[in-house]
Amino acid sequence: MKKLMNDAYTIENDMFSGYAELYKDKIERIANTGIFVSRTKKKQVAVISGGGSGHEPADVGYVGEGLLQACAMGPVFIPPNAEDVYKAIKAADQGLGVFVIVKNFEADVKSFMLGIDLALNDGHEIEYAIVNDDCSVESDSYKKRRRGVAGTVLAIKVLGAAAFEGKNLKELKELSETLILSINTLGVSLAPGILPTEKNPMFELSDEMVSYGVGIHGESGYRQEDYHSSAVLAVELWNKLKSQGDLKKDDEVAILVNGMGATPQMELMVFYNDLRQLVELDNVKISFVKIGNFMTSLDMKGVSVSCLKIKDPMWISYLNMEVDGFGW
Amino acid sequence: MKKLMNDAYTIENDMFSGYAELYKDKIERIANTGIFVSRTKKKQVAVISGGGSGHEPADVGYVGEGLLQACAMGPVFIPPNAEDVYKAIKAADQGLGVFVIVKNFEADVKSFMLGIDLALNDGHEIEYAIVNDDCSVESDSYKKRRRGVAGTVLAIKVLGAAAFEGKNLKELKELSETLILSINTLGVSLAPGILPTEKNPMFELSDEMVSYGVGIHGESGYRQEDYHSSAVLAVELWNKLKSQGDLKKDDEVAILVNGMGATPQMELMVFYNDLRQLVELDNVKISFVKIGNFMTSLDMKGVSVSCLKIKDPMWISYLNMEVDGFGW
């Protein structure tokens, strides 16, 4: 499978140039980096996030009023280095501190923690949250993986809006703790993606199978099974999410149905139509829903469902607040 | 390649149900049809469009204030029947007439013309435009194909905004005539899509080739060539568009870079970065640009570039006007 690219080793830089030019009125790229800073400067706690490239529109698409004040992106599937995290913090800080949202992957956590250390030494006030919404399990140990995946977008939306509304660092930290415990995500691949540097897909998957529990870095899932239909897939995902999220009759949820990069909207919509019927049958109320490509994995064909159990009606207001990032 | 679907023969209906539920506050589906009507009723000339399914977010994503007041969608790659076109006209008409935007495909033109006849007999005032932006050529005769493809989205945006601003039927007709002559589109496939009813791709394309001049119904192009890079592709497309659109130094253009369904944003952005450099080198001014999936072809991987030569500064205002359709 061919890609629209020129050189696998400059692909992220070519893309950063494209974004910087296209959205120059709204975001500023720090030259020669994957750091993007919002041009709107409001006196508020700045919220930032970031990670490797290959997940577009994440994270650059979430830089803007009411979302992130900056993001730091690295090469494909590789987090930005600590120095870039530090630079993003410095560029975003309006004097009221910076809240950092990190996806739970070993390399990401390491880079971001080092970057935060540099910023703390420099006198910035910082709090952070590590999003670990993936509730799939390891094939061998059955331990939950708890990687940070598409649910991160819901965390960015809620925390970004709360910061915009004037919450201070401590309040954001408290909010993040309840929030992150309330998000569960499960992903399924129908066809693996391919790294720009490689010719072959990131894992093997026959034309009749799907892979449950895939990550956003092309990781294969915990189980491959025959693919039957969108409806059967929806049943399996919803049952798992319901039990992981301890969802009962009359509970309220926000749902994000996320395409992994190569899933057309037609198919996402068919799948959502199956999913929502199951949710309604269980008398769980969908108070917010969003469908599209939000946290992708290169050109993987697949879908993930993130389910946020609503524990505070303010979360719905935060999710509904008008914001400015092009990816939302 | 698997699809998120249940039955190839109900896929559009399942999708329509999903859209109807998801956007119920903004659009209303006429039961058991692919007709969607905006819930906002403004006293203006109503603009409608439509066509087969498989091009999402077109056309339902363009129903909303400042865009279309209704759309009529058919099964995958099959236009709505004349009766549905008529129903959409009837539902949209606020007493000031209806302007109908049709994509130039034989079956579409036939259905829409019959539907318009039914509506005229019923006393509706109607004008229409047939968009024929595709400037690729037939393999044998070298005649231009002039199908209606992604440039239709630019036509919908400009005419929708003009109608919202109060233009009457005659003025819209005049505007459409200049506008449509000013739009050229060229598409390239990196990998063909697959019909829901079929197991095999719609045409053959080796892993090293791309197909120039593809349509939005999975039609193969006029020439297959070795694929080199995004930059080489951008050169070829820009040179053609420049000559077809008679573009010279200091001309202004609006550009739509359109993914065909399975193209990740990363790749669209890399391609845009190449394209814009060529446009700038020619001293052609990009006054408006939009990048994403707007007029897709199921799960085809590919890209099309639509180029609208700006002949009236109002067109830029119309393109920039805030509107409400979820697909824009």
Side-chain angles (χ1 to χ4, degrees):
Chain A
M1 177 77 85
K2 298 145 295 259
K3 288 180 196 291
L4 288 167
M5 68 174 188
N6 298 303
D7 180 332
Y9 296 96
T10 65
I11 188 170
E12 63 273 358
N13 196 56
D14 295 348
M15 172 181 76
F16 293 153
S17 299
Y19 279 128
E21 174 60 28
L22 183 60
Y23 298 109
K24 58 177 175 256
D25 296 343
K26 305 213 161 178
I27 54 178
E28 186 186 356
R29 178 186 180 194
I30 297 186
N32 306 314
T33 71
I35 306 170
F36 293 89
V37 186
S38 174
R39 293 202 185 268
T40 318
K41 307 280 181 201
K42 184 174 180 280
K43 196 79 179 171
Q44 63 165 77
V45 174
V47 183
I48 75 159
S49 189
S53 295
H55 309 300
E56 295 68 28
D59 295 285
V60 56
Y62 307 123
V63 176
E65 196 163 84
L67 284 166
L68 301 176
Q69 279 62 61
C71 75
M73 294 167 75
V76 173
F77 292 171
I78 296 175
N81 60 39
E83 187 66 29
D84 279 2
V85 172
Y86 167 52
K87 278 187 201 161
I89 291 172
K90 230 159 84 163
D93 198 344
Q94 299 296 309
L96 294 177
V98 178
F99 193 86
V100 185
I101 299 172
V102 188
K103 291 193 285 287
N104 192 31
F105 289 96
E106 200 181 332
D108 287 63
V109 172
K110 196 174 155 194
S111 255
F112 276 83
M113 291 306 115
L114 284 170
I116 287 173
D117 269 351
L118 292 173
L120 287 170
N121 288 339
D122 198 26
H124 294 275
E125 275 191 278
I126 317 246
E127 287 286 356
Y128 66 88
I130 297 175
V131 186
N132 60 357
D133 53 313
D134 175 20
C135 62
S136 71
V137 292
E138 294 290 345
S139 311
D140 41 5
S141 65
Y142 291 95
K143 268 172 55 178
K144 277 186 209 134
R145 283 195 174 109
R146 285 293 168 204
R147 299 167 295 196
V149 291
T152 309
V153 179
L154 294 174
I156 287 172
K157 183 65 173 76
V158 170
L159 291 163
F164 182 82
E165 299 268 282
K167 294 257 184 255
N168 66 29
L169 259 188
K170 192 167 154 274
E171 291 165 331
L172 290 174
K173 179 66 183 173
E174 281 166 13
L175 167 57
S176 75
E177 281 166 357
T178 338
L179 184 72
I180 286 166
L181 286 173
S182 313
I183 312 175
N184 283 290
T185 297
L186 270 176
V188 172
S189 175
L190 281 77
I194 304 177
L195 280 171
T197 47
E198 304 293 326
K199 281 209 169 296
N200 295 315
M202 294 188 71
F203 56 91
E204 296 214 356
L205 185 61
S206 88
D207 244 12
E208 286 73 38
M209 312 279 273
V210 290
S211 182
Y212 282 88
V214 291
I216 56 170
H217 296 126
E219 307 94 330
S220 67
Y222 56 89
R223 196 176 80 238
Q224 294 197 358
E225 282 214 357
D226 284 347
Y227 175 63
H228 300 288
S229 67
S230 165
V232 171
L233 195 60
V235 168
E236 167 134 10
L237 293 188
W238 174 241
N239 283 343
K240 284 238 167 73
L241 287 168
K242 205 167 54 172
S243 92
Q244 294 293 332
D246 191 22
L247 294 172
K248 290 176 294 289
K249 191 171 168 302
D250 298 328
D251 278 344
E252 267 186 66
V253 292
I255 283 180
L256 186 84
V257 176
N258 174 56
M260 307 291 268
T263 320
Q265 193 177 94
M266 170 176 246
E267 299 185 38
L268 291 177
M269 205 52 61
V270 168
F271 176 78
Y272 168 67
N273 189 49
D274 291 321
L275 180 68
R276 70 160 180 94
Q277 295 182 50
L278 298 170
V279 181
E280 282 166 16
L281 272 175
D282 281 328
N283 289 301
V284 169
K285 187 180 171 212
I286 304 178
S287 299
F288 178 90
V289 58
K290 189 106 178 161
I291 297 173
N293 288 288
F294 300 105
M295 180 69 75
T296 59
S297 182
L298 295 169
D299 47 4
M300 184 192 280
K301 178 165 190 178
V303 64
S304 70
V305 182
S306 301
C307 183
L308 165 62
K309 182 173 176 175
I310 303 297
K311 295 178 179 158
D312 180 341
M314 271 310 289
W315 295 3
I316 295 294
S317 313
Y318 291 145
L319 287 167
N320 281 317
M321 199 180 93
E322 290 279 331
V323 292
D324 210 16
F326 66 82
W328 179 250
Chain B
M1 177 76 85
K2 297 145 294 253
K3 289 180 194 293
L4 288 167
M5 69 174 186
N6 298 303
D7 180 332
Y9 296 96
T10 66
I11 187 169
E12 63 273 358
N13 196 58
D14 294 348
M15 173 183 75
F16 294 154
S17 299
Y19 279 127
E21 173 61 27
L22 183 59
Y23 297 111
K24 59 177 176 257
D25 296 344
K26 307 211 160 178
I27 55 179
E28 186 186 357
R29 179 186 180 194
I30 298 187
N32 305 315
T33 71
I35 306 171
F36 292 88
V37 187
S38 174
R39 293 199 185 269
T40 317
K41 306 279 182 204
K42 185 174 179 279
K43 196 79 178 169
Q44 64 166 75
V45 174
V47 183
I48 76 158
S49 190
S53 295
H55 308 301
E56 294 70 28
D59 295 286
V60 56
Y62 306 124
V63 177
E65 196 163 84
L67 284 166
L68 302 175
Q69 278 64 60
C71 75
M73 294 169 73
V76 174
F77 292 171
I78 297 176
N81 59 40
E83 186 66 31
D84 278 2
V85 172
Y86 168 49
K87 279 188 200 160
I89 291 172
K90 230 159 83 164
D93 198 344
Q94 300 295 307
L96 295 176
V98 178
F99 192 86
V100 186
I101 300 173
V102 188
K103 291 192 286 285
N104 193 29
F105 289 95
E106 203 182 329
D108 287 64
V109 172
K110 197 173 155 194
S111 255
F112 276 83
M113 290 306 115
L114 284 171
I116 287 173
D117 270 352
L118 292 173
L120 286 169
N121 288 337
D122 198 26
H124 294 274
E125 276 192 277
I126 317 246
E127 288 286 358
Y128 66 88
I130 297 176
V131 186
N132 60 356
D133 54 312
D134 175 19
C135 62
S136 70
V137 293
E138 294 289 345
S139 310
D140 40 5
S141 65
Y142 292 95
K143 268 174 52 181
K144 276 186 208 136
R145 283 194 174 112
R146 285 294 168 202
R147 301 166 294 195
V149 291
T152 309
V153 179
L154 294 174
I156 287 173
K157 183 66 174 76
V158 170
L159 291 162
F164 182 83
E165 300 269 282
K167 293 258 185 252
N168 66 29
L169 259 188
K170 192 169 154 278
E171 291 165 333
L172 290 174
K173 179 67 184 171
E174 281 166 16
L175 167 56
S176 75
E177 281 166 358
T178 338
L179 184 71
I180 286 167
L181 285 173
S182 314
I183 311 176
N184 283 292
T185 298
L186 271 177
V188 173
S189 175
L190 281 76
I194 305 178
L195 280 171
T197 47
E198 303 293 325
K199 281 210 170 294
N200 295 316
M202 294 188 71
F203 55 90
E204 296 214 355
L205 186 60
S206 87
D207 244 13
E208 285 74 39
M209 313 280 271
V210 290
S211 181
Y212 282 87
V214 292
I216 56 170
H217 297 125
E219 307 95 331
S220 68
Y222 56 89
R223 196 176 81 238
Q224 294 197 359
E225 280 216 358
D226 285 347
Y227 176 62
H228 300 287
S229 67
S230 164
V232 172
L233 195 61
V235 168
E236 168 134 11
L237 293 187
W238 175 241
N239 283 343
K240 285 236 168 75
L241 288 167
K242 206 168 53 173
S243 94
Q244 293 294 332
D246 192 23
L247 294 172
K248 290 177 294 288
K249 192 172 168 299
D250 299 329
D251 278 344
E252 268 185 66
V253 291
I255 282 180
L256 185 84
V257 176
N258 175 55
M260 307 291 268
T263 320
Q265 193 177 95
M266 169 176 246
E267 298 183 40
L268 291 176
M269 205 52 59
V270 168
F271 176 77
Y272 169 66
N273 189 50
D274 292 321
L275 180 70
R276 68 159 182 93
Q277 294 180 52
L278 298 169
V279 182
E280 282 166 14
L281 272 174
D282 280 327
N283 288 302
V284 170
K285 188 182 169 207
I286 305 178
S287 298
F288 178 89
V289 58
K290 188 108 176 157
I291 296 173
N293 289 286
F294 300 105
M295 181 68 77
T296 60
S297 182
L298 295 171
D299 47 4
M300 184 192 278
K301 179 165 189 176
V303 65
S304 71
V305 182
S306 300
C307 183
L308 164 64
K309 183 173 174 174
I310 303 297
K311 294 178 180 160
D312 180 340
M314 270 311 290
W315 296 3
I316 296 293
S317 313
Y318 291 145
L319 287 168
N320 281 318
M321 199 180 93
E322 290 278 330
V323 292
D324 209 16
F326 66 80
W328 180 252

